[in-house]
Amino acid sequence: MAKINFGGTVEDVVTREEFPMEKAREVLKSETIAIIGYGVQGPGQALNLRDNGFNVIIGQRKNSKTWDKAVADGWVPGQTLFEIEEAAEKGTIIQFLLSDAGQITLWPTIQKYLSPGKALYFSHGFGITFNEQTGIIPPKDVDVILVAPKGSGTSLRRLFLAGKGLNSSFAIYQDATGRAKDRVVALGIGVGSGYLFETDFKKEVYSDLTGERGTLMGAIQGIFAAQYEILRKNGHSPSEAFNETVEELTQSLMPLVAENGMDWMYANCSTTAQRGALDWWKKFKEATLPVFDELYNSVKDGKESQRSIDSNSQSDYRVKLEAELKELRESEMWQAGAAVRQLRPENK
Ligand SMILES: NC(=O)C1=CN([C@@H]2O[C@H](COP(=O)(O)OP(=O)(O)OC[C@H]3O[C@@H](n4cnc5c(N)ncnc54)[C@H](O)[C@@H]3O)[C@@H](O)[C@H]2O)C=CC1
Ligand SMILES: CC(=O)[C@](C)(O)C(=O)O
Ligand SMILES: [Mg+2]
Ligand SMILES: [Mg+2]
């Protein structure tokens, strides 16, 4: 573990220097990693593990789109691709990467294959933390571990192929074998994580549900829509409104923040912009702090998890989600965005 000072708080983190890939391969050399679920995280983690030389198999429903996707990705039926139950039986580490709602449905099936000494692996603390809602209560004689990439499985794979990595949190809920720490850190390195920081199942899911409803996905769409609406209401064209709300942020300013922090991005803007941003950011913080407080309490009270389970357990959950995504896509702001993207020099 490396001791890193994060703004005054020293944390123990795992970097690839402390836990190189060779060590991860040694730790997991006798393991069969069965990945159940091939949606977004499944492919990202499975392909990275395979490329890193680990023994990986996939468990999927036959005659499904994800079975075909797995075959297209080079998984071989009967060798590295099996039906869910056969993969769970063969796996010594079962990576439970169905959707959080899907895990509830499949838990009675997976549970049958959790023989003593196996490991049950999640990429979200949802199923375990809200087990009064999910019913996911593992037997005591298996390891229960978590590696949660802090980003999309699509990005996990793309960054791996680019020689980079997404950071991940890791947690141990049960250490039945005495090897849970080694297993979970080895898996975190194997799936292509940048650095690993420790958490617990409850903190992972509370922070993750907050983040995705907040700055990462929900709040950002909300402030985009609000600013775009004000600009358009005051006569600014869609081009001007979209560029000033989204395109400049994604193409110019956020990459500067990612490179060297917010102050550096500010310093690379005009002094006019710096004065304004420094005057206004606290007003936006004051306006949104109550909303974030309400959001976190809704997560903590189990309201968000129940909402997710109720919605995503319905047979037509994907149809309903797609209809709302279509509404977003067809909004004027994102239609303007589609036109702007097409006009990028690299897309001409
Ligand atoms: N999407 C992402 O990039 C991230 C996901 N996670 C976590 O990783 C896990 C997997 O997430 P995703 O890959 O997004 O899942 P997903 O929503 O893409 O679903 C994965 C697979 O589960 C299947 N599935 C859904 N409901 C099912 C059911 N009732 N019965 C059988 N199969 C069912 C889907 O067909 C899909 O193939 C979740 O715990 C999620 O919270 C964590 C970090 C990021
Ligand atoms: C990509 C990710 O980290 C999320 C937003 O938490 C998720 O997909 O659940
Ligand atoms: Mg997340
Ligand atoms: Mg999430």
Side-chain angles (χ1 to χ4, degrees):
M1 303 282 264
K3 292 193 178 302
I4 304 291
N5 183 327
F6 292 91
T9 300
V10 176
E11 289 184 42
D12 288 325
V13 300
V14 181
T15 69
R16 296 177 182 181
E17 285 69 35
E18 282 83 49
F19 210 102
M21 197 59 72
E22 304 71 56
K23 182 176 179 183
R25 278 193 282 264
E26 179 60 26
V27 165
L28 299 176
K29 67 184 176 195
S30 309
E31 305 277 12
T32 297
I33 303 164
I35 302 213
I36 311 298
Y38 208 73
V40 183
Q41 273 302 321
Q45 296 193 29
L47 294 169
N48 289 357
L49 281 165
R50 183 175 73 182
D51 288 356
N52 280 328
F54 294 89
N55 179 21
V56 192
I57 61 174
I58 304 295
Q60 265 307 299
R61 290 175 290 189
K62 232 175 191 170
N63 305 319
S64 66
K65 274 192 286 187
T66 42
W67 176 280
D68 298 340
K69 181 178 170 186
V71 171
D73 285 343
W75 303 98
V76 181
Q79 290 179 34
T80 54
L81 174 60
F82 302 91
E83 298 235 43
I84 288 176
E85 293 205 49
E86 190 173 355
E89 184 175 34
K90 291 176 186 298
T92 58
I93 294 174
I94 296 177
Q95 294 199 193
F96 207 8
L97 296 182
L98 295 177
S99 70
D100 298 302
Q103 290 173 24
I104 299 170
T105 314
L106 262 290
W107 174 241
T109 303
I110 297 298
Q111 192 174 19
K112 290 187 300 191
Y113 299 98
L114 286 172
S115 49
K118 283 198 179 187
L120 176 61
Y121 165 113
F122 295 88
S123 282
H124 198 17
F126 191 102
I128 292 288
T129 303
F130 297 111
N131 60 22
E132 288 178 10
Q133 297 168 347
T134 66
I136 296 177
I137 301 171
K140 291 295 180 203
D141 52 11
V142 300
D143 290 345
V144 182
I145 54 180
L146 168 147
V147 172
K150 295 294 97 182
S152 166
T154 305
S155 312
L156 184 73
R157 180 63 178 161
R158 287 181 181 175
L159 289 171
F160 171 81
L161 293 174
K164 302 175 183 173
L166 269 185
N167 302 324
S168 300
S169 59
F170 73 92
I172 297 165
Y173 181 74
Q174 265 179 205
D175 182 6
T177 65
R179 291 186 292 116
K181 178 75 176 287
D182 263 357
R183 278 168 139 178
V184 73
V185 174
L187 287 163
I189 295 294
V191 301
S193 300
Y195 83 87
L196 294 161
F197 62 93
E198 191 159 11
T199 186
D200 62 42
F201 275 64
K202 183 183 283 189
K203 285 203 173 67
E204 192 284 330
V205 65
Y206 282 14
S207 57
D208 192 82
L209 292 182
T210 301
E212 63 199 23
R213 284 153 187 74
T215 60
L216 302 179
M217 296 170 69
I220 193 159
Q221 164 61 23
I223 60 169
F224 281 174
Q227 176 172 298
Y228 186 88
E229 185 174 314
I230 291 299
L231 290 173
R232 293 287 286 125
K233 192 172 84 170
N234 286 281
H236 299 271
S237 69
S239 267
E240 189 159 66
F242 186 83
N243 272 281
E244 203 55 47
T245 301
V246 183
E247 190 73 357
E248 180 173 345
L249 180 71
T250 60
Q251 300 305 297
S252 166
L253 304 185
M254 265 300 150
L256 295 177
V257 175
E259 190 180 330
N260 207 12
M262 187 62 81
D263 68 297
W264 196 69
M265 182 268 271
Y266 280 19
N268 282 277
C269 294
S270 68
T271 49
T272 305
Q274 291 177 47
R275 183 63 274 145
L278 289 166
D279 287 344
W280 277 84
W281 74 265
K282 290 174 187 155
K283 194 176 183 70
F284 281 103
K285 179 193 169 186
E286 281 152 28
T288 57
L289 199 60
V291 183
F292 280 101
D293 195 37
E294 178 193 350
L295 166 57
Y296 193 85
N297 287 324
S298 184
V299 168
K300 209 165 54 173
D301 297 349
K303 291 194 185 92
E304 295 307 313
S305 49
Q306 195 57 59
R307 160 86 170 142
S308 175
I309 292 167
D310 293 347
S311 308
N312 293 341
S313 298
Q314 293 173 19
S315 57
D316 63 346
Y317 78 97
R318 281 208 185 275
V319 171
K320 286 179 176 162
L321 284 174
E322 180 44 43
E324 292 185 63
L325 293 178
K326 183 169 182 285
E327 196 181 329
L328 213 50
R329 186 167 55 250
E330 292 180 352
S331 65
E332 185 196 289
M333 177 170 76
W334 289 110
Q335 284 296 300
V340 169
R341 290 194 298 272
Q342 285 309 309
L343 289 168
R344 288 177 191 157
E346 66 271 26
N347 293 337
K348 288 308 285 175

